[in-house]
Amino acid sequence: MSTLPQRLGQIYQTYLDKSVPYLIARWVSFGLLIVAFIARIVFAQGWYIVTYGLFIYHLNLFLAFLTPKIDPVGNLGEDDDGGMDLPTKASEEFRPFIRRLPEFKFWVSATKATLVALVMSFFEIFNIPVFWPILVVYFILLFCLTMKRQIKHMIKYRYLPFSFGKPKYATQANNGVHPQ
C-alpha cells in the first residue's frame, strides 16, 4: 500500500515522462510562466530580491547547459570517463558534445524554480526593500562577464553546444543525395 506522497510523486513523474517529446510546448509553457512571473513582479512593485535570485539561478542553469560534461581543461569533469576529452586538434578522434546539464533537466529545474519564486511573491516576508536598479545593473554585468568567459572557453576548445550550424553528412542509405 503506497502513501499519498509516494502516489503524488508517481503521478508527477508520469506527467514529466509524458512531456519529454514535446520540446517546443515545454519551452513555450516555461516562457509563459516567466511572463506571468514578471507581470506579477511589475504589477506588485516588489519582490526584487526574489526575482534577482531566480535569474541568477537561471543563469547558473544556462551555463551548466552550455558546458560540456567533461571539461577539456579537466577541472570540471568530476565524473570523468577515464580521460575522455574533447578533441582540440584535427587529428584527434571526434567525441560528441555531451552537456553537463541536459536540456530536459534544465527545463525541469528552471520551471520548478520559477514556480517557487512565483509562490514566494505572494508572501510579504520575501518582499525585502531594495533599490532594484542596482540589482539589474549587477545582473547585466554578471551575465556579460560570465558569457564572455564561456564564449572564450568555447572558442579555445572549439566546441559548439548547439546542433544548428554543424555540418551534416549524407548517410549511405541515400547514396549522398540530399533530399530537397
Side-chain angles (χ1 to χ4, degrees), residues 97-156:
F97 183 82
I98 300 170
R99 299 180 188 285
R100 192 167 59 149
L101 179 68
E103 177 271 333
F104 185 74
K105 289 184 179 179
F106 177 27
W107 173 77
V108 169
S109 297
T111 302
K112 281 182 186 178
T114 306
L115 286 170
V116 167
L118 185 63
V119 169
M120 287 173 71
S121 73
F122 287 98
F123 296 97
E124 195 62 37
I125 193 167
F126 298 113
N127 190 8
I128 300 168
V130 66
F131 187 62
W132 65 268
I134 291 175
L135 293 178
V136 171
V137 169
Y138 185 65
F139 178 79
I140 291 170
L141 179 69
L142 187 65
F143 177 80
C144 291
L145 292 175
T146 305
M147 290 311 295
K148 178 182 174 187
R149 192 187 96 226
Q150 184 68 29
I151 291 169
K152 280 184 176 180
H153 190 270
M154 291 162 70
I155 291 169
K156 181 178 180 180

Side-chain angles (χ1 to χ4, degrees), residues 12-27 103-105 107-108:
Y12 170 73
Q13 190 61 47
T14 300
Y15 283 114
L16 273 183
D17 293 344
K18 287 180 180 181
S19 72
V20 170
Y22 303 106
L23 178 86
I24 294 172
R26 284 189 284 116
W27 284 102
E103 177 271 333
F104 185 74
K105 289 184 179 179
W107 173 77
V108 169

Side-chain angles (χ1 to χ4, degrees), residues 10 18 61 71 103 130 164:
Q10 290 172 345
K18 287 180 180 181
L61 290 174
D71 187 36
E103 177 271 333
V130 66
F164 58 87

